[in-house]
Structure formats: C-alpha cells, structure tokens
C-alpha cells in the first residue's frame, strides 16, 4: 500500500481537513489546523506531503518520526498541528486496513463511554445561567465557561466579584451532581490568578484551565500551591517536552489538543507521561468532527482520562456546526452526557466528502478578535 495524494480543505467555520488517499482505495481523514492560521497550516501540510507520497501509510510511527524530525527546525504550533492532522489520517487508514477502530490499535478499550462537556457564555461571558440550563436540557452533565472577558493582568475587586458571581450562578443551575470548569484563557497575571482561584474553591469547579499564559509555565507551581482547586493546561503545549515542566509544577489535568499536539501518536505518549505524575487527561477540542473522533479514540483507550471537550453549540460555530460534514451523526450523541464507544474501523467517523468539497470552494478567513483595553493597550484574548 502506498500514499498517492494528500489534499486539504478549508471548511467553515474555522477548520482545515486533510484527505490522505492510497493506491488501494482506502482513504484517511485528519484535521490539521491552528485556529486563525488555517492557511499557514495548509502550507505546512503541503510541504509534509512531499515526504509522505509514495510511502506505506501503515508505518504510522516511522512516518511521524519522519514528519517531526526530517528538518533542522522542529515543533511549534504550525508544524505540530500539520503533523497532527496527517497523523490522524494515517491512524484512520491503518484502522480501516485492519478493520478495527483506532482504540483497538492503542491497546484496546478501557471504558465503554466517554463523558463530554460543552461551552457556555462566549468569549465575554454573559447569560451563563440560562446557557447552562440549555446544556443540561441537551443531556450534558458538565459545562465550561470563560472566567472573564477582556480583563487586566491585575483585575480590580469588582472584576473578581464578577468572576465569582458568574460561577455561582452556573453552580446554582447545575446543582451538586453536575460539573463546571472555568477557563482563564491566560488572561490573568500570576498574582491575579493566585488571588482569584481560591475564591472559586467553595463553588467546587471541576478545574480551572490555563490560569496564565504558557510562557509563564515556570510559575504554575505557585498557582497550584495557592489553592486546592485542580489546575489544568495544555492547549498551547505541543509535545511531551512542553508538558513536562507543567506536570512537574503539579497540574492535575493535562489538556493536549489532538489537532495541535502531534496527533494521536504524541497525545497517547503525553497521556502516559501525565499518568506518572498522577495527572488526568482531558483533551482540548473546540474544533470539528475529525479532531473529536481522534480525541475519542484516545479517550477510549486511556486509563487516566477525565473528560472530553466537544464543540456543539460553541460560540465560534456561526457558519457551520460540528456535524455538518458527517454522514452518520448518531455516534456523536450524548443523551446522558457521554458518548458510547464506537466499533467502526479507523477513526469511526464517516465524512461527507461532497459537503467538504463544496465548503472548501467557499472557504473561510476566520480570525480571532483583537482586543484592547479602554486605555488603548493590547488585551489578551
């Protein structure tokens, strides 16, 4: 079996898909994307395709090594995301070739279902109690919300009170039997995070996510020590070596993104590394159906898994929804807050290729917002 072609598709709302074809007619799909930099990742995929065409796609690990190490400059979000999507497609091909789901190739299932959560409130959170009620009605038992909108590195008392009040409103809706996670999005400074997070502890968040920017990973230990609230991070970490200092700092939850952190091949290794620190895996995934399918395959086979993000109804999905490019939507259902284990071969998702090609003809130019404070200075998004 040989790889004959690699195609990419820019599909709304903000995703990039790739299609890897073989001379035996088996096709694999992946989702290589950096949100807001899809065209840049597309160029990287095209370059990596030169290494793949003519190779045996079943040699997944060898090709991962080739893609990540065949050049002097390595890593970073763009290259790691390009590798991630292609790696997903290679695992998809291998599973389809052997007629088994990818989780079987990762050692077999360790659970029958994967608990999932959904987003509420948007980038500048509002009406969070109403949104939480809607997600509960949809069947979810957990949600995630931003701690704040644009905020200074040292927020004032009223802004801190707002963070606590929004979480309290959501907790009242959810009760004690459901969970809420709080995403700081790296918008707070270290001192501010140390001040705010202990005030959230009585409301028992499942975890607080990315309390500070990844460039301040060396300060995570100070934040962990400031309260008993579990700290999570990882959406902007792209390898085992990126995760090591965060795990050494004491994070409780590792959040690699299957479309950013080198794909299935690297995330399964990150999960094993996290296990040695008694940390749990909660893959980041505000993306499309292929990224979610890859995440679920890892979750089905990972002992130290906690919960899975999924993007149905997320505020970014304005021009398309998670399942618009999927032929069979039933496997993605979560009537009791969890997705049941799939047994379909490969990644287990049937992509509507006609819909994907039509969407690519329209394309997208999604970009993150540029925020500024009232004084005109730049604000972290």
């Amino acid at each position: 079996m040989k790889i004959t072609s690699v195609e990419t598709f820019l599909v709304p709302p903000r995703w990039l898909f790739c299609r890897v074809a073989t001379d035996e007619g088996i096709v694999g799909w992946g989702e290589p994307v950096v949100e807001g930099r899809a065209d840049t990742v597309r160029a990287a995929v095209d370059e990596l395709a030169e290494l793949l065409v003519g190779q045996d796609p079943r040699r997944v690990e060898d090709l991962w090594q080739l893609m990540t190490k065949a050049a002097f400059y390595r890593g970073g979000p763009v290259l790691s995301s390009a590798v991630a999507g292609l790696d997903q497609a290679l695992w998809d091909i291998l599973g389809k070739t052997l007629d088994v789901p990818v989780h079987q190739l990762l050692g077999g299932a360790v659970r029958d279902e994967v608990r999932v959560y959904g987003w509420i409130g948007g980038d500048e959170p509002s009406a969070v109690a109403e949104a939480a009620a809607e997600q509960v009605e949809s069947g979810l038992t957990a949600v995630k919300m931003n701690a704040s909108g644009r905020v200074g590195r040292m927020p004032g008392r009223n802004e801190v009170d707002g963070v606590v009040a929004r979480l309290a409103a959501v907790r009242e809706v959810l009760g004690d039997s459901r969970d809420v996670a709080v995403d700081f999005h790296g918008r707070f400074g270290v001192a501010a995070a140390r001040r705010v997070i202990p005030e959230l502890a009585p409301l028992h968040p499942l975890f607080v996510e990315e309390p500070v920017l990844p460039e301040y990973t060396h300060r995570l230990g100070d934040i962990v020590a400031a309260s008993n609230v579990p700290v999570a991070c990882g959406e902007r970490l792209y390898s085992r070596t990126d995760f090591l200092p965060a795990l050494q700092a004491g994070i409780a939850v590792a959040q690699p993104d299957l479309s950013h952190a080198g794909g299935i091949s690297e995330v399964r290794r990150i999960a094993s590394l996290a296990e040695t620190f008694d940390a749990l895996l909660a893959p980041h995934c505000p993306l499309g159906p292929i990224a979610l399918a890859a995440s679920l395959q890892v979750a089905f086979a990972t002992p130290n898994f906690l919960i899975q993000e999924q993007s149905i109804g997320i505020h970014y999905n304005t021009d398309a929804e998670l399942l618009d490019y999927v032929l069979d939507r039933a496997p993605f259902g979560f009537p009791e807050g969890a997705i049941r284990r799939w047994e379909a071969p490969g990644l287990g998702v049937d992509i509507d290729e006609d819909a994907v090609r039509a969407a690519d003809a329209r394309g997208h130019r999604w970009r993150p917002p540029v925020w500024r404070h009232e004084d005109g200075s730049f604000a972290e998004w």
Side-chain angles (χ1 to χ4, degrees):
M1 181 184 289
K2 302 294 181 185
I3 296 171
T4 56
S5 66
V6 177
E7 297 178 87
T8 54
F9 306 92
L10 200 66
V11 298
R14 57 179 191 156
W15 306 328
L16 182 72
F17 294 170
C18 69
R19 179 184 185 273
V20 177
T22 69
D23 59 356
E24 295 187 16
I26 296 176
V27 170
W29 288 89
E31 193 168 332
V33 68
V34 172
E35 300 93 301
R37 297 288 182 267
D39 288 298
T40 311
V41 178
R42 189 177 214 174
V45 171
D46 288 343
E47 291 180 359
L48 291 173
E50 298 173 11
L51 299 173
L52 297 182
V53 172
Q55 299 284 344
D56 185 342
R58 297 168 294 185
R59 298 185 61 175
V60 178
E61 182 60 33
D62 182 59
L63 294 180
W64 190 91
Q65 297 289 331
L66 181 67
M67 289 188 290
T68 58
K69 299 178 179 178
F72 186 75
Y73 295 100
R74 306 172 180 179
V78 171
L79 180 59
S80 295
S81 297
V83 169
L86 291 166
D87 179 79
Q88 294 166 14
L90 296 177
W91 281 101
D92 194 25
I93 290 170
L94 181 59
K96 290 173 179 175
T97 300
L98 300 174
D99 196 31
V100 296
V102 166
H103 65 261
Q104 291 283 28
L105 304 175
L106 300 178
V110 297
R111 59 181 43 82
D112 296 324
E113 62 183 24
V114 166
R115 190 185 185 201
V116 297
Y117 68 84
W119 264 92
I120 59 172
D123 282 323
E124 301 208 55
S126 61
V128 287
E130 296 86 344
E134 291 175 4
Q135 291 286 32
V136 169
E137 184 67 23
S138 76
L140 290 175
T141 62
V143 298
K144 186 168 76 177
M145 58 186 284
N146 275 314
S148 70
R150 70 192 78 194
V151 68
R153 307 297 288 172
M154 189 69 74
R157 179 73 254 181
N158 64 322
E159 293 172 304
V160 173
D161 288 346
V163 174
V164 177
R166 284 187 292 272
L167 179 57
V170 172
R171 172 55 70 197
E172 183 175 357
V173 171
L174 296 179
D176 294 333
S177 62
R178 300 181 180 90
D179 286 305
V180 54
V182 182
D183 190 349
F184 278 54
H185 234 252
R187 294 170 185 164
F188 289 67
V190 173
R194 284 168 52 85
R195 171 182 287 171
V196 175
I197 294 173
E199 296 200 31
L200 305 181
L203 297 166
H204 204 81
L206 181 63
F207 54 77
V208 294
E209 177 176 329
E210 206 176 36
V212 294
L213 292 166
E215 48 261 48
Y216 303 127
T217 296
H218 60 285
R219 296 297 309 279
L220 273 175
D222 297 326
I223 295 170
V224 170
S227 85
N228 62 4
V229 177
V231 172
C233 73
E235 67 189 84
R236 289 187 275 188
L237 304 177
Y238 311 110
S239 67
R240 285 159 285 166
T241 52
D242 285 351
F243 270 91
L244 182 57
L247 291 163
Q248 290 171 326
I251 64 167
V253 182
Q255 295 178 294
D257 190 306
L258 270 289
S259 282
H260 298 330
I264 293 168
S265 294
E266 184 69 351
V267 170
R268 64 173 179 154
R269 290 186 279 253
I270 292 169
S272 294
L273 176 64
E275 191 174 18
T276 68
F277 288 88
D278 196 25
L280 301 176
L281 186 77
H284 180 259
C285 190
L287 297 171
I290 306 171
L292 179 56
S295 300
L296 291 168
Q297 294 294 339
V298 171
F300 290 140
T302 299
N304 56 319
F305 169 80
L306 175 64
I307 196 167
Q308 177 62 55
E309 181 175 24
Q310 57 81 37
S311 72
I312 291 177
I314 197 170
H315 46 287
Y316 303 121
N317 293 356
T318 55
D319 298 320
E321 256 297 352
L322 175 68
L323 304 181
D324 285 358
Y325 306 109
V326 174
L327 290 171
D328 183 5
R329 301 183 176 194
F332 290 92
F334 45 82
E336 297 180 354
I339 295 176
R340 297 290 297 177
R341 189 176 76 244
W342 303 344
E343 295 299 336
L347 294 180
V349 57
D350 292 324
I351 297 299
D352 185 341
E353 187 170 329
D354 290 340
V356 168
R357 292 186 181 278
D360 180 60
R362 301 190 305 273
H364 70 79
R365 290 191 59 80
W366 188 87
R367 297 291 185 267
V370 176
W371 281 358
R372 291 192 177 275
H373 295 298
E374 290 182 1
D375 65 1
S377 63
F378 177 76
E380 291 288 347
W381 172 69

